[in-house]
Amino acid sequence: MSSISLSLRSYAPRSVWSLIGTLFLFLGAWVMVFPFIWMVSSSLKPTDEVYDANFSIIPRTFKGFENYYEVLFNQPYLIYLMNSFLVCCGILIVQLITAVPAAYALAKLKFRGSSILFGTVIAALTIPINVTSIPIYVALAKTGLLDTYLAMMLPFFISVFAIFLFRQFFRGFPDSIIDAARVDGFSEMEIILRLVLPSAVPAIAAFSVFSFVAHWNDLYWPLIVVTSQDKMTATLSMMQYQSDFDTDYGRTFASASVVTAPMVIAFLFARRLFIRGITMTGVKG
C-alpha cells in the first residue's frame, strides 16, 4: 500500500507539469493561429462589420461569395499568382546556384581568409533590404530595369542566410569521402554535384520554404519597383482595395486569404523535410 501511494505521489508532479506544458503549448498555438482565423472570418464579412466593436468569428452578414468572386474573377488573379510564382522560383534557383558552392568552400576548403569571409557572412545577416533599397533602386532606374521581373528578383539573388545554413550542414559531411573522391580524380564541382548536394536535400528543402514564403509575402520591394498591373504579384494586388478615402476590408482580407493558402498547402506537404533540415543544420558546429 505504501509503495502504491509513493508511486502516486511521484507521478502527480509529472502529471501537473505535463498539464501545464500542454496548456502553454495550446496557448502558444492559439496565439499563432488566431490571426489566420480572424483573417478568414473577416474575408466573409462586409467592410462595416470587419472592425465592428462587437467582434464575432461568425459573420452576421455573409458576404464571402461576393468578396472572393471579386478577388478571383473580376481581376487577372491567375496572372498575379503566376508572377509571384515566377519571381519566387527565379530567386530560389539563383540563390541555390550561388549559395551552395560558397557554403561548400567555407565548410570544406582550407584557404587564407576563410574565417574573415564567414564573419562577413554573419555580419551581412544583420543588414535589412531597407538599408540597400535606395542605391539598388537608383541603379535599376538608370539601367531601365524598373517594372520588370528582373527588378523584383535582382536584390535577392545572393542569400547570406542560405550560405550560412548550407555551410552548417556541409560541415557534417565526412571529409574522408571528399578526400577519397579527390584521389579518384573528382573535381570540386563534381564533389558538390555528385556527393554533397544529394545529401543536402533536407537543408535545401528547409531553405526553399524560407525563401519561397519570404518572397511570396514580400510587399515592400514589389511596391517600389512595379508600376504596371500585368507585373503585379499576388501580394501587391491586395493594395488595389485600399485608398485614402475608402478601403474594402472584406475584399482585402479575401485577397490575403487567397495569397496565404498556397504557402500553407506547400508547407503541409514539405513540413517533414523542413523540420528535418532545420534539425540537421542546427546541430552542426
Side-chain angles (χ1 to χ4, degrees):
M1 190 70 178
S2 60
S3 61
I4 296 177
S5 60
L6 181 61
S7 62
L8 288 176
R9 285 197 299 269
S10 62
Y11 178 75
R14 290 199 297 269
S15 300
V16 172
W17 283 111
S18 178
L19 179 61
I20 294 174
T22 302
L23 292 175
F24 182 77
L25 291 175
F26 178 80
L27 178 61
W30 175 251
V31 170
M32 297 297 295
V33 172
F34 179 76
F36 294 96
I37 297 175
W38 187 73
M39 175 182 68
V40 175
S41 173
S42 299
S43 70
L44 306 176
K45 300 175 181 179
T47 299
D48 57 354
E49 192 181 328
V50 171
Y51 287 110
D52 195 332
N54 299 319
F55 175 77
S56 174
I57 294 293
I58 301 175
R60 293 187 294 275
T61 303
F62 186 82
K63 203 178 178 183
F65 292 121
E66 294 89 337
N67 291 337
Y68 281 96
Y69 186 88
E70 169 68 24
V71 170
L72 294 173
F73 300 106
N74 286 355
Q75 59 174 327
Y77 211 82
L78 289 179
I79 294 178
Y80 301 152
L81 291 174
M82 184 58 66
N83 289 341
S84 293
F85 184 77
L86 289 175
V87 170
C88 292
C89 287
I91 291 173
L92 178 60
I93 290 171
V94 178
Q95 283 178 338
L96 293 177
I97 292 174
T98 56
V100 169
Y104 173 80
L106 290 174
K108 293 300 181 183
L109 300 183
K110 297 179 180 179
F111 57 93
R112 184 176 299 177
S114 60
S115 298
I116 297 176
L117 287 177
F118 182 64
T120 304
V121 169
I122 299 297
L125 286 171
T126 64
I127 302 176
I129 181 63
N130 311 67
V131 175
T132 57
S133 58
I134 293 178
I136 294 175
Y137 178 85
V138 172
L140 292 173
K142 289 186 176 181
T143 54
L145 292 176
L146 291 178
D147 199 30
T148 63
Y149 293 114
L150 183 60
M152 288 187 280
M153 295 186 290
L154 188 62
F156 310 103
F157 280 162
I158 306 297
S159 172
V160 289
F161 174 71
I163 295 173
F164 172 77
L165 187 72
F166 295 147
R167 186 257 184 188
Q168 297 301 99
F169 186 90
F170 292 159
R171 281 177 62 86
F173 193 85
D175 292 333
S176 58
I177 297 178
I178 296 177
D179 293 337
R182 289 170 179 159
V183 171
D184 290 339
F186 279 46
S187 66
E188 297 299 331
M189 286 304 301
E190 286 178 321
I191 293 174
I192 294 174
L193 296 176
R194 297 175 62 179
L195 298 178
V196 178
L197 202 58
S199 70
V201 171
I204 293 175
F207 173 73
S208 298
V209 172
F210 276 122
S211 176
F212 220 91
V213 171
H215 299 296
W216 184 276
N217 295 330
D218 185 22
L219 177 63
Y220 173 76
W221 188 247
L223 185 62
I224 293 176
V225 299
V226 174
T227 56
S228 60
Q229 190 179 38
D230 63 327
K231 293 296 192 302
M232 278 187 178
T233 60
T235 306
L236 185 58
S237 69
M238 293 189 298
M239 301 295 293
Q240 297 180 105
Y241 306 110
Q242 302 183 28
S243 65
D244 294 334
F245 305 101
D246 183 30
T247 299
D248 193 328
Y249 289 109
R251 292 176 180 176
T252 299
F253 282 111
S255 180
S257 299
V258 174
V259 170
T260 305
M263 294 297 96
V264 174
I265 295 172
F267 177 76
L268 291 177
F269 280 102
R271 67 185 185 280
R272 292 185 178 178
L273 280 174
F274 174 76
I275 296 172
R276 183 184 172 196
I278 292 298
T279 303
M280 296 181 70
T281 54
V283 299
K284 301 294 186 293

